[in-house]
């Protein structure tokens, strides 16, 4: 454990690790959707391969500072089987969920910061069988290899997406389809409210509606990336204030001219609407911060400050996913890869 912690400290940049690749997934499909297993973010990246996972029918649920949380494909007669793995060390561990007959499972989340501790936590959220929107929160620690004997009961709205969250600065944050969401301070075991962005807030002129939202974090900053309709290459990236009082506009990008400068890029057309989506925001210190967007089977990496194009990746779908998972109908999930020797 001490060696892996020292390795993380050696590779950190001002207190944070920097992702070197992005894993890609489609909807509820359990195999890599593209022939390229991951997108490299640096020229010397050795792309990780997840062929060491014992069952090939799996889905990545979350990435957190070098560890991946996932579950295996299941049928109606089986319970979900969850696992933690480290793509760098190719180590793998099954996770047993807390024994509870209360309510239904809503989400399993991963919280890990190798800069502070070699140990990780897992958060399990269950919907309790009560009429007043009550939930139960359970916590696992890899240090003790046990679930806490006590659990937290709380009230929340159904529009909070407990299955879509990010760990940032010791706090787990959940996305939401409404105007409010929740965050959970693991050290103090306290739940608090946080605002979400109002629809069409500071939208580009001429926009009629939002197309997609990206919810993620980078280097201690919580981000929301928003794209708009009708189709244009203008999008906004918002950042959460340090006191959680509001979201503010951090980057406003217009890539219309940049995209047209590359005629080999086949731009989407309005009558066959593919749109484009923010896949990941990668902040950096001392280097260019980046944003990766998806445009019609291409992942395009831009420098955030000036919108300079850095890389274009052709995403050729695997034959078995081509018909059942067309990109214009189902979302792409992206999971950052960090090199770490942390144990699972």
């Amino acid at each position: 454990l001490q060696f892996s912690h020292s390795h993380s400290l050696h590779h950190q940049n001002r207190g944070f690790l920097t992702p070197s690749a992005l894993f890609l997934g489609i909807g509820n499909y359990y195999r890599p959707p593209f022939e390229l297993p991951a997108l490299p973010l640096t020229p010397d990246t050795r792309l990780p391969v997840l062929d060491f996972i014992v069952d090939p029918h799996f889905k990545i649920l979350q990435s957190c500072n070098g560890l991946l949380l996932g579950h295996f494909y299941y049928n109606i007669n089986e319970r979900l089987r969850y696992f933690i793995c480290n793509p760098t060390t190719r180590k793998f561990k099954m996770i047993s969920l807390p024994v509870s007959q209360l309510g239904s499972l809503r989400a399993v989340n991963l919280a890990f910061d190798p800069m502070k501790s070699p140990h990780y936590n897992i958060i399990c959220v269950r919907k309790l069988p009560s009429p007043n929107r009550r939930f139960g929160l359970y916590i696992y620690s890899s240090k003790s290899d046990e679930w806490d004997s006590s659990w937290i009961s709380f009230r929340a709205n159904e529009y909070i997406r407990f299955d879509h969250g990010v760990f940032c600065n010791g706090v787990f944050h959940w996305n939401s389809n409404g105007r409010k969401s929740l965050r959970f301070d693991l050290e103090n075991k306290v739940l608090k409210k946080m605002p979400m962005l109002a629809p069409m807030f500071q939208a580009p002129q001429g926009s009629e509606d939002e197309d997609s939202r990206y919810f993620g974090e980078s280097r201690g900053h919580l981000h929301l990336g928003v794209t708009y309709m009708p189709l244009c290459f203008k999008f906004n990236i918002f950042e959460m204030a340090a006191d959680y009082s509001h979201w503010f506009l951090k980057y406003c990008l217009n890539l219309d001219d940049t995209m047209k400068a590359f005629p080999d890029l086949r731009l989407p057309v309005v009558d066959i609407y593919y749109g484009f989506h923010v896949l990941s925001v990668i902040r950096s210190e001392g280097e260019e911060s980046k944003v990766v967007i998806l445009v019609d089977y291409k992942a395009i990496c831009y420098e955030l400050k000036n919108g300079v194009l850095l890389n274009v990746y052709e995403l050729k779908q695997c034959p078995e996913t081509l018909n059942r998972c067309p990109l214009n109908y189902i979302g792409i999930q992206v999971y950052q890869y960090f090199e770490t020797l942390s144990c699972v």
Side-chain angles (χ1 to χ4, degrees):
L1 290 178
Q2 183 60 43
F3 178 74
S4 66
H5 184 60
S6 299
H7 178 271
S8 296
L9 293 177
H10 176 72
H11 283 78
Q12 58 88 25
N13 182 345
R14 299 190 182 183
F16 297 95
L17 296 176
T18 302
S20 56
L22 301 175
F23 289 107
L24 302 174
I26 289 185
N28 291 320
Y29 204 67
Y30 295 87
R31 288 183 183 274
F34 303 110
E35 294 181 358
L36 185 67
L39 297 181
L41 296 175
T42 58
D44 55 348
T45 297
R46 295 178 60 184
L47 289 180
V49 180
L50 302 180
D51 56 358
F52 63 94
I53 296 178
V54 294
D55 188 331
H57 301 282
F58 68 90
K59 175 179 173 60
I60 301 173
L61 298 175
Q62 186 193 338
S63 166
C64 192
N65 291 311
L67 299 184
L68 298 180
L69 167 70
H71 70 65
F72 292 116
Y73 178 82
Y74 69 102
N75 59 45
I76 196 169
N77 298 317
E78 293 180 331
R79 298 178 63 183
L80 285 171
R81 297 176 296 147
Y82 289 85
F83 65 87
I84 299 289
C85 73
N86 183 333
T88 303
T89 63
R90 298 172 63 85
K91 298 298 182 181
F92 171 95
K93 180 181 180 179
M94 297 296 299
I95 298 294
S96 297
L97 297 186
V99 178
S100 173
Q101 303 302 319
L102 295 177
S104 58
L105 179 67
R106 283 301 176 90
V108 179
N109 309 128
L110 172 63
F112 176 56
D113 185 352
M115 296 295 99
K116 296 181 179 179
S117 170
H119 305 288
Y120 59 86
N121 294 102
I122 297 175
I123 301 169
C124 176
V125 179
R126 300 184 71 93
K127 174 70 169 64
L128 302 181
S130 62
N132 57 354
R133 303 195 305 270
R134 297 205 70 84
F135 293 79
L137 189 150
Y138 304 77
I139 305 171
Y140 166 90
S141 170
S142 66
K143 184 176 183 179
S144 63
D145 194 25
E146 293 180 346
W147 292 88
D148 285 359
S149 56
S150 61
W151 54 282
I152 300 169
S153 176
F154 65 99
R155 189 173 180 178
N157 288 301
E158 291 285 347
Y159 51 68
I160 295 178
R161 298 181 58 188
F162 292 110
D163 62 338
H164 186 196
V166 293
F167 185 60
C168 178
N169 298 327
V171 178
F172 201 89
H173 308 79
W174 287 289
N175 196 3
S176 173
N177 294 327
R179 294 289 301 275
K180 293 181 180 179
S181 192
L182 289 174
R183 65 187 195 269
F184 180 60
D185 183 331
L186 263 87
E187 183 176 354
N188 299 305
K189 298 184 179 180
V190 175
L191 279 159
K192 294 182 180 180
K193 295 179 180 179
M194 71 174 187
M196 295 301 291
L197 198 67
M200 296 296 288
F201 179 68
Q202 293 188 321
Q205 187 175 1
S207 302
E208 298 176 2
D209 199 1
E210 293 184 3
D211 180 29
S212 66
R213 284 192 174 193
Y214 158 84
F215 182 70
E217 72 85 28
S218 182
R219 300 188 67 83
H221 303 280
L222 205 60
H223 296 130
L224 268 174
V226 186
T227 65
Y228 303 92
M229 297 187 294
L231 177 62
C232 68
F233 289 105
K234 301 180 180 71
F235 64 98
N236 292 331
I237 295 175
F238 299 88
E239 183 177 320
M240 174 65 80
D243 62 358
Y244 291 97
S245 60
H246 66 285
W247 294 86
F248 61 90
L249 184 60
K250 180 67 177 180
Y251 301 102
C252 179
L253 279 83
N254 182 352
L255 304 180
D256 280 325
D257 294 337
T258 306
M259 297 292 288
K260 293 175 183 176
F262 292 84
D264 56 321
L265 293 179
R266 185 168 58 90
L267 301 181
V269 291
V270 176
D271 56 338
I272 307 175
Y273 183 71
Y274 288 95
F276 82 102
H277 305 277
V278 177
L279 295 183
S280 191
V281 176
I282 301 106
R283 300 277 284 270
S284 182
E285 294 288 341
E287 302 175 6
E288 68 270 4
S289 295
K290 306 170 185 176
V291 60
V292 182
I293 67 172
L294 175 72
V295 182
D296 192 18
Y297 295 94
K298 296 176 180 64
I300 304 175
C301 184
Y302 285 96
E303 191 267 326
L304 263 175
K305 186 176 181 181
N306 301 310
V308 176
L309 187 146
L310 299 175
N311 284 300
V312 178
Y313 304 96
E314 293 284 346
L315 299 181
K316 185 178 180 181
Q317 277 189 272
C318 294
E320 61 266 29
T321 68
L322 189 59
N323 294 324
R324 71 179 68 182
C325 295
L327 297 188
N328 54 322
Y329 291 123
I330 196 162
I332 290 231
Q333 289 84 47
V334 173
Y335 309 95
Q336 295 182 350
Y337 165 69
F338 301 80
E339 182 181 341
T340 174
L341 301 181
S342 299
C343 300
V344 297

